[in-house]
Amino acid sequence: MQAVLIGPVIFNSLAHLTSRHGIDRPSRRLPFYTVKSPLTILASARRGVSISLVAGERNAAFVYDRFWMRRLADWHNSFAHVPRSVRLSLCRDATTKRLLDTQYAGGLLLRRLGCITIEVRISGAGRARQRTVPVGVPHC
């Protein structure tokens, strides 16, 4: 299995990153490690989710919206300005208005490889779920 499930969010391609395989190395163009991990929000989240880095946040940042993806292409922002949390909504079927499982492109930027803890909270719900994930290291 290549995905990490945290509550109603599936981080595709985030599991088993216990080595540098699958992680893009820093370059002059983008001076950070990058992990491509599109995610899926299950319709059971009902109102969407908030996703935050709660450990390792000085080392990592989320890139899950078009604004930041475009900015990273030219790297006009410092690492400190890239989001550590993001709110994502669900899509609805145009005809039936039913909530749909919704996918977002994106991933993570890291200054250095290590462990991160991701927290997922359903919008409007009190309880959050967390999971610590190794990124480029054997274990946490």
Side-chain angles (χ1 to χ4, degrees), residues 24-128:
D24 293 338
R25 295 177 187 260
S27 66
R28 280 191 160 176
R29 190 180 137 280
L30 186 61
F32 304 104
Y33 291 98
T34 56
V35 177
K36 295 176 186 133
S37 184
L39 63 80
T40 303
I41 305 170
L42 302 176
S44 61
R46 301 192 55 133
R47 297 184 202 165
V49 296
S50 295
I51 302 168
S52 303
L53 289 165
V54 295
E57 70 275 7
R58 290 185 181 184
N59 181 48
F62 286 128
V63 182
Y64 280 106
D65 71 32
R66 290 181 185 167
F67 171 80
W68 284 104
M69 287 183 197
R70 281 193 299 267
R71 298 296 289 183
L72 292 175
D74 296 326
W75 196 248
H76 290 178
N77 294 83
S78 73
F79 186 76
H81 293 109
V82 183
R84 284 2 183 235
S85 64
V86 62
R87 287 181 166 216
L88 301 171
S89 59
L90 290 164
C91 294
R92 291 185 177 269
D93 181 277
T95 305
T96 66
K97 305 298 181 201
R98 289 183 57 184
L99 291 170
L100 301 171
D101 292 349
T102 304
Q103 294 185 338
Y104 284 86
L108 297 163
L109 294 181
L110 294 104
R111 288 184 187 184
R112 66 186 181 288
L113 302 175
C115 295
I116 58 169
T117 301
I118 302 170
E119 179 179 270
V120 174
R121 182 180 306 272
I122 296 173
S123 298
R127 186 168 173 236

